Amino acid sequence: MRPPRTTHRLRKRLMRPIPVAVAATLVAATGALVPMLANGAESSCKVDYRVTGEWADGFQGAVEIANSGKPLTRWKLTFELAGGEKITQGWNGSWTQSGTTVTVKNVSWNGSLATGGTVSTGFVGSRSGATSVPGSFKLNGKACDSGVDSSPSAGSTVAPSFSESSSPTATPTAAATPSVTATPKASTTATATATAAPSAAATATATSAAEWNPPSGLVTPLGQVWDHMASTYPDIYGFKNYGFDQIMANKGSINYCVRWDSDNPVTATLRDRIESTLQKQFGKWMAALTEDGKGYNQWPYAKVSVRVVGWAVKDRSTLKWTDDSVDIYAGNLDEGGAPQCAPPCGRFFHQDGDYSQCPGKEEHHYDQSLWLTKGMGFGGAGGDWGQRVDQEYFTDALDEENLHIYLHEVGHTFGLDDFYDWTPTGVGGFIMNAGSATEITEFDKWMVRDFWRHIKSRYGY
């Protein structure tokens, strides 16, 4: 058994720009494109470039390539960023930068580009000043016509998702406003709905005493926690990829893809035990949202189904089974060399619910990744993209009652903050205060309930 104390070397702040593919969920820009013709000549390609969000020292961009020339079996796009910007992460392509020249190449699943076809890719970058207008777009060495929108439209506020600040290079999201595909019918007992733009200290949903009845000793610290999060998160009400949102979109279920960042072999038995452990541990947070066999405070699900739909590995030979019970992504590596699940199947990339490019369509999509990294040690990362923990810690603890590091990271998936620099009044150890508890406590339970209380109006409750 591993020592119970969690040493969180990976510090976290909710909703901030995050390194490489971990998470940066931004609202899409809607501004019109500014035509930019390549040398005034007719070309066989067009590039639409949009800045989809900005923050103090960074920005996110979306790039769509349209091919009107001959079919391509592989592609490489180059362009210039002359304002000192640096690409820090990218998805749906292999991104590099040399000086001012940015290069993005196809990856294994999107190399084919038919005549009349399009492909989309994107990135997150850093900057020290204003975002410049890029130029000199070339596809496989030939100049392209281009349309550029380098200024996000009004209301295109940035809401990067939450995770540890040193969190993994995993999966940035497609720049799209999430669409809720499974909004439950509004309850007739809902007492109020949120205002369009509540203040940081405002409560989004008013509930009666019968619906909201925490122990009297927790009322003050719960209020302190919410006020602290509301004042430090850039857009706590507007962000729409919390774990709550994922479950609601799936009508009461969560799909996982396991990123096996390890060379240790995986038998079918180990595969199945990891899935059952996920179901049990994730279920502990779901139990916190229920009372007397039903959802608390209008939470609509007494039980949430959890299943593993895919595995990502560096080498297929690592997986010691031949059945087709899950999708397998072999050799699909991120920029850090870690295996990743196919972005076309990930909610993190497709919060609009469009899984049309996923080989198995929506049925095979995944909402979160369980990133098991060999040699990571005692630390972790968590956010709307999923959770990352040490592979050996997780597999060695499959028979334990509580996997406390994993449980802590799932708390981040549901929006809960860390407590590195302060502690609410009158409460002691709890799982979200890393290292102070090894299981979900009463205070953790009421914190996640309180988060649901403040955002449930988006679903008509």
Side-chain angles (χ1 to χ4, degrees):
M1 176 176 175
R2 296 259 178 172
R5 184 173 182 274
T6 305
T7 305
H8 265 265
R9 55 190 183 187
L10 302 177
R11 293 185 58 83
K12 170 208 162 272
R13 183 62 64 192
L14 187 62
M15 290 179 167
R16 65 186 292 178
I18 322 175
V20 186
V22 166
T25 304
L26 307 173
V27 181
T30 58
L33 291 173
V34 180
M36 295 179 61
L37 298 180
N39 301 322
E42 182 179 355
S43 68
S44 59
C45 53
K46 174 123 185 285
V47 175
D48 285 345
Y49 175 102
R50 294 178 185 269
V51 173
T52 55
E54 296 179 297
W55 52 94
D57 57 357
F59 68 107
Q60 177 167 324
V63 178
E64 182 178 85
I65 306 167
N67 177 34
S68 56
K70 65 180 181 180
L72 303 176
T73 57
R74 61 180 183 271
W75 53 265
K76 178 177 74 172
L77 179 72
T78 60
F79 61 93
E80 299 294 322
L81 283 176
E85 299 94 340
K86 300 294 183 184
I87 304 299
T88 58
Q89 56 197 33
W91 53 93
N92 284 1
S94 176
W95 288 80
T96 58
Q97 182 172 359
S98 177
T100 62
T101 302
V102 176
T103 300
V104 54
K105 299 179 181 179
N106 68 271
V107 284
S108 59
W109 64 85
N110 65 359
S112 296
L113 190 54
T115 302
T118 62
V119 63
S120 296
T121 181
F123 67 92
V124 171
S126 63
R127 61 176 187 173
S128 56
T131 304
S132 66
V133 176
S136 301
F137 291 93
K138 294 181 179 180
L139 181 64
N140 290 357
K142 295 182 179 180
C144 295
D145 296 341
S146 58
V148 176
D149 179 8
S150 59
S151 300
S153 61
S156 177
T157 54
V158 175
S161 66
F162 40 92
S163 179
E164 312 292 345
S165 64
S166 297
S167 49
T169 59
T171 43
T173 180
T177 303
S179 62
V180 178
T181 58
T183 303
K185 182 178 179 181
S187 169
T188 56
T189 59
T191 57
T193 56
T195 58
S199 63
T203 300
T205 305
T207 55
S208 69
E211 293 172 308
W212 180 244
N213 57 349
S216 58
L218 298 184
V219 172
T220 294
L222 287 170
Q224 291 173 343
V225 169
W226 183 260
D227 289 344
H228 180 79
M229 291 189 299
S231 65
T232 57
Y233 295 3
D235 193 13
I236 195 169
Y237 291 108
F239 186 79
K240 290 188 172 68
N241 198 32
Y242 299 114
F244 304 103
D245 300 302
Q246 299 170 13
I247 292 170
M248 298 292 275
N250 290 341
K251 299 181 181 180
S253 66
I254 284 289
N255 288 349
Y256 264 96
C257 190
V258 177
R259 301 181 64 185
W260 188 256
D261 196 2
S262 171
D263 56 3
N264 289 339
V266 183
T267 63
T269 299
L270 178 56
R271 173 199 66 193
D272 295 343
R273 290 185 67 201
I274 288 173
E275 181 174 28
S276 64
T277 297
L278 268 179
Q279 292 167 342
K280 176 181 177 180
Q281 298 299 315
F282 195 93
K284 290 177 179 290
W285 277 110
M286 297 301 92
L289 290 167
T290 65
E291 192 164 294
D292 297 329
K294 62 182 180 180
Y296 177 81
N297 197 7
Q298 300 175 299
W299 174 246
Y301 301 109
K303 184 177 181 181
V304 173
S305 171
V306 177
R307 65 178 186 142
V308 173
V309 298
W311 276 71
V313 290
K314 293 181 180 179
D315 191 318
R316 177 62 179 86
S317 64
T318 304
L319 305 179
K320 306 301 181 182
W321 72 80
T322 58
D323 63 67
D324 59 356
S325 59
V326 296
D327 297 322
I328 296 173
Y329 307 102
N332 179 26
L333 308 182
D334 67 15
E335 291 182 349
Q340 62 179 350
C341 311
C345 300
R347 175 184 165 91
F348 193 72
F349 296 91
H350 300 284
Q351 291 173 38
D352 58 358
D354 180 7
Y355 300 110
S356 59
Q357 301 305 307
C358 177
K361 306 305 186 220
E362 185 175 0
E363 177 66 19
H364 291 247
H365 90 279
Y366 61 95
D367 303 290
Q368 298 177 30
S369 294
L370 175 65
W371 190 352
L372 300 178
T373 302
K374 184 177 181 180
M376 185 177 179
F378 294 109
D384 64 325
W385 51 271
Q387 305 82 37
R388 185 187 190 187
V389 298
D390 184 85
Q391 175 257 301
E392 293 163 306
Y393 156 77
F394 194 94
T395 53
D396 287 352
L398 293 176
D399 293 326
E400 295 184 15
E401 181 61 31
N402 293 286
L403 274 66
H404 61 287
I405 299 177
Y406 168 78
L407 289 172
H408 176 99
E409 304 309 340
V410 176
H412 294 323
T413 300
F414 285 89
L416 301 183
D417 205 356
D418 270 320
F419 295 83
Y420 290 117
D421 51 0
W422 77 288
T423 303
T425 302
V427 293
F430 51 100
I431 199 75
M432 295 313 299
N433 187 1
S436 68
T438 59
E439 61 184 354
I440 296 171
T441 68
E442 188 78 355
F443 189 58
D444 294 299
K445 178 180 80 173
W446 284 98
M447 279 196 297
V448 76
R449 289 179 172 188
D450 198 23
F451 211 107
W452 164 248
R453 177 172 75 105
H454 283 85
I455 68 168
K456 66 176 185 171
S457 62
R458 66 177 59 170
Y459 294 106
Y461 289 106

